[in-house]
Amino acid sequence: MTTLTTSPLAPLLDRLFAEADSVTSTVLTSVSAKERDRLMHSKTEYLSLYGRLKDLWFPVSRDTGALLYMLARTSKAQNIVEFGTSFGLSTLHMAAALRDNGGGKLITSEFEPSKVQRARAHFVEGGVADLVEVREGDALKTLAVSLPEKIDLLVLDGAKALYDDILDLLESRLRVGAIIVADDASYNAEYLAYVRSAANGYLSVPFGDDVEVSIRLG
């Protein structure tokens, strides 16, 4: 029995995944696919799109959530940093791993205030609020200060155009053997080229259709 598979967290995750599946937004039809793609790739205009889609969840899949739990458990992670809290589904999986590892700290960043409020409530309901620190605002600022000396696991699931910038911000704190998980990394070719180059100190492979898993070699 684990924190992930027992109450209160397991039924909470079931409910949140169901809610995420049921939410839609007219923005998905009012903004063309070409325009959405342009905004997703922009380092300056992505806030416009994400602001209009603030009610959508953009959750990790159940498989990716399980993967995050497994990676945090097997690496015996104690310090985790996440870019992109949203409503907290991925965070809940990793916080469960921290609990089962004996404790630790998960620092996560989200710029949308309404999502921060909901996520914090979910962490309380799931019994993991003591393990999670949510930083509200621009991650390039909120994740630039007061971080652990060594990061065991880094998860990138916010604005895709910023993945390379966030990695650059945190890279010096990644311990040897640290794991980086990037959701929908295909939106950032620069990020993928960087972590897939052994010359930059990483080994990286795609997981499924939408996740890139990398390890810091040194």
Side-chain angles (χ1 to χ4, degrees):
M1 305 297 285
T2 70
T3 301
L4 188 67
T5 58
T6 55
S7 185
L9 194 53
L12 172 62
L13 287 171
D14 287 341
R15 192 187 85 225
L16 296 182
F17 273 119
E19 183 176 348
D21 288 341
S22 68
V23 175
T24 60
S25 172
T26 56
V27 177
L28 291 177
T29 55
S30 62
V31 178
S32 70
K34 182 178 180 179
E35 179 65 3
R36 289 199 305 269
D37 186 70
R38 186 185 71 80
L39 292 171
M40 290 284 282
H41 284 87
S42 172
K43 289 182 181 290
T44 58
E45 298 180 77
Y46 62 89
L47 287 175
S48 172
L49 177 63
Y50 282 101
R52 282 182 280 176
L53 295 175
K54 66 180 181 179
D55 295 326
L56 289 182
W57 285 61
F58 300 112
V60 296
S61 67
R62 286 182 178 270
D63 285 346
T64 301
L67 174 68
L68 292 174
Y69 175 87
M70 292 165 63
L71 291 174
R73 283 300 307 276
T74 56
S75 66
K76 297 181 173 58
Q78 293 184 315
N79 294 301
I80 300 173
V81 175
E82 178 182 41
F83 166 51
T85 315
S86 191
F87 291 101
L89 272 165
S90 55
T91 319
L92 287 167
H93 285 83
M94 293 183 288
L98 288 181
R99 178 74 75 212
D100 294 338
N101 283 346
K105 185 67 171 290
L106 197 166
I107 296 172
T108 183
S109 179
E110 172 60 47
F111 75 87
E112 176 55 51
S114 62
K115 288 188 173 183
V116 171
Q117 183 177 6
R118 284 287 305 275
R120 285 178 172 150
H122 295 156
F123 303 150
V124 171
E125 185 177 351
V128 296
D130 59 308
L131 301 169
V132 180
E133 176 188 346
V134 185
R135 298 185 180 183
E136 182 180 333
D138 180 353
L140 291 174
K141 297 178 180 179
T142 65
L143 297 182
V145 296
S146 302
L147 292 175
E149 184 177 344
K150 294 297 180 183
I151 296 171
D152 303 305
L153 174 61
L154 171 62
V155 175
L156 304 174
D157 196 17
K160 317 311 174 189
L162 297 185
Y163 281 7
D164 51 332
D165 298 295
I166 296 293
L167 179 60
D168 182 64
L169 182 69
L170 303 177
E171 188 172 55
S172 65
R173 294 183 179 271
L174 295 174
R175 68 167 174 83
V176 174
I179 299 168
I180 306 99
V181 180
D183 194 39
D184 291 325
S186 59
Y187 282 103
N188 193 317
E190 292 81 5
Y191 172 82
L192 285 179
Y194 187 81
V195 296
R196 288 177 178 177
S197 171
N200 294 321
Y202 294 94
L203 177 65
S204 191
V205 295
F207 173 82
D209 297 327
D210 58 354
V211 177
E212 186 80 8
V213 180
S214 314
I215 185 171
R216 181 67 168 157
L217 299 176

